[in-house]
Amino acid sequence: MQKRLLALPLVAGAAALALTGCATGSASGSASSDGTIRVVASTNVYGSLVQAIGGDHVSVTSVLDDPSQDPHSFESSARTQLAVSKADLLIENGGGYDDFMTTLADASNTKADTINVVELSGLDKGGDAEFNEHVFYDYPTMVKLVDDVATRLGDLDGSEKSTFEANAKTLTGKLDDLESQTAALKQQYDGDKVAYTEPVPGYLFDAIGLDNVTPEKFSEAIEEGDDVPPAALNETLRLFSGKTVKLLAYNEQTSSPETEQVKKAADEAGVPVVGVTETLPKGEDYVSWQQQNIDAVKAALAK
């Protein structure tokens, strides 16, 4: 599904170019002097995974890394442009989620390779079905990404190849554990009905076998920033008044009068509300963040 999310007004080209000659002290600016591999990721979700694999041998810039920021209103800066221009590796979500990465790369004339995670996932089969681009909630895809990142880092710094491979193996083990937990939950909750304001946790729900019954016209309108059709809103509200669903997943980084109305309906009906995000909360890495998501969903389903 194409999102309005992450539109990117680029900084003036002259300002960006001026900074490339004099900026120091940023994650990318210092990387060339200490020999680390410079990686720019569209969000700190991917930045966290790269850091876990590369350790002290990588310098990671995450374009979106503020958990209090509404991703829909993101604006770039000259510093971001500079980081991209100096990067050795770029990581984008793809699928229309973060097209700003392509814009930044084109503007900077970078020669860095780019990992497009949606393409790597193989989940987008095309056709008429709407595609959920939030692939960072799909653990098998993250396992593929970890393997790809380790390989590319090893190509960029062959002397640390074994380190990257060992770190990737450890991280993959943790991702496999997350996947095992969702498989166990599926044994108990397969087919249970749930709802969300946006399809952010869709792949997590799929792994647990949960049946999303949110009216498509509601979640699509919220995701695109459009007005919700009154009929779709009323249909969504009835999910809670009739206690049709076991939980509501609520995107904490975006809100609208309609999502607030839905959240209120869930609260009043006693339907658990599980907050979800599109970037890492402060102080969390990818694995701890997803563990919190699994725990929250598990607790909600058990009520």
Side-chain angles (χ1 to χ4, degrees):
M1 182 178 293
Q2 191 82 4
K3 295 190 73 172
R4 64 183 169 87
L5 175 66
L6 311 182
L8 178 66
L10 279 177
V11 294
L17 291 174
L19 279 172
T20 61
C22 61
T24 59
S26 70
S28 59
S30 62
S32 59
S33 63
D34 62 17
T36 57
I37 300 170
R38 296 163 296 195
V39 182
V40 176
S42 62
T43 76
N44 61 4
V45 172
Y46 297 128
S48 170
L49 294 171
V50 174
Q51 194 68 64
I53 300 164
D56 294 338
H57 305 290
V58 295
S59 176
V60 181
T61 298
S62 296
V63 178
L64 285 175
D65 64 356
D66 184 354
S68 66
Q69 180 182 32
D70 179 356
H72 297 214
S73 59
F74 169 73
E75 294 187 10
S76 181
S77 67
R79 190 172 185 176
T80 305
Q81 182 75 67
L82 174 62
V84 171
S85 72
K86 291 181 174 291
D88 299 305
L89 179 64
L90 303 175
I91 302 178
E92 64 183 15
N93 186 84
Y97 183 84
D98 48 7
D99 287 340
F100 67 82
M101 287 293 287
T102 300
T103 304
L104 284 167
D106 289 345
S108 68
N109 295 315
T110 179
K111 299 296 191 293
D113 286 339
T114 299
I115 299 176
N116 182 306
V117 185
V118 166
E119 291 180 359
L120 183 68
S121 74
L123 292 169
D124 187 0
K125 306 300 183 183
D128 296 330
E130 292 285 359
F131 175 67
N132 182 2
E133 70 275 17
H134 303 93
V135 294
F136 40 88
Y137 272 80
D138 182 67
Y139 305 142
T141 293
M142 294 302 96
V143 170
K144 290 182 180 180
L145 176 60
V146 167
D147 181 65
D148 195 10
V149 168
T151 297
R152 291 177 187 254
L153 294 183
D155 290 341
L156 290 165
D157 184 358
S159 66
E160 297 297 336
K161 182 178 180 180
S162 61
T163 299
F164 301 143
E165 290 175 345
N167 290 344
K169 183 177 180 180
T170 298
L171 182 53
T172 296
K174 295 177 180 179
L175 296 173
D176 288 343
D177 178 62
L178 295 177
E179 194 171 356
S180 295
Q181 291 180 56
T182 59
L185 289 174
K186 185 174 183 178
Q187 296 296 316
Q188 187 171 1
Y189 298 109
D190 191 23
D192 281 12
K193 293 179 171 57
V194 295
Y196 49 50
T197 55
E198 297 181 62
V200 175
Y203 290 107
L204 175 59
F205 284 180
D206 290 345
I208 301 174
L210 302 176
D211 180 15
N212 167 55
V213 294
T214 310
E216 185 176 337
K217 289 184 178 180
F218 175 85
S219 56
E220 183 174 350
I222 295 300
E223 191 174 27
E224 299 292 345
D226 297 333
D227 292 334
V228 178
L233 176 59
N234 290 333
E235 186 180 352
T236 303
L237 294 174
R238 284 196 294 270
L239 296 176
F240 308 102
S241 60
K243 294 193 174 181
T244 302
V245 296
K246 297 286 292 289
L247 65 84
L248 168 69
Y250 181 86
N251 188 348
E252 295 181 333
Q253 289 178 278
T254 63
S255 65
S256 70
E258 293 89 352
T259 60
E260 289 299 314
Q261 191 174 349
V262 166
K263 183 175 182 292
K264 181 180 179 182
D267 287 334
E268 290 179 347
V271 174
V273 176
V274 176
V276 295
T277 61
E278 300 181 57
T279 56
L280 299 184
K282 186 171 294 185
E284 303 297 334
D285 60 24
Y286 179 85
V287 173
S288 65
W289 172 53
Q290 287 298 318
Q291 185 64 64
Q292 289 181 355
N293 288 327
I294 291 173
D295 291 344
V297 170
K298 180 180 180 180
L301 292 171
K303 290 183 178 179

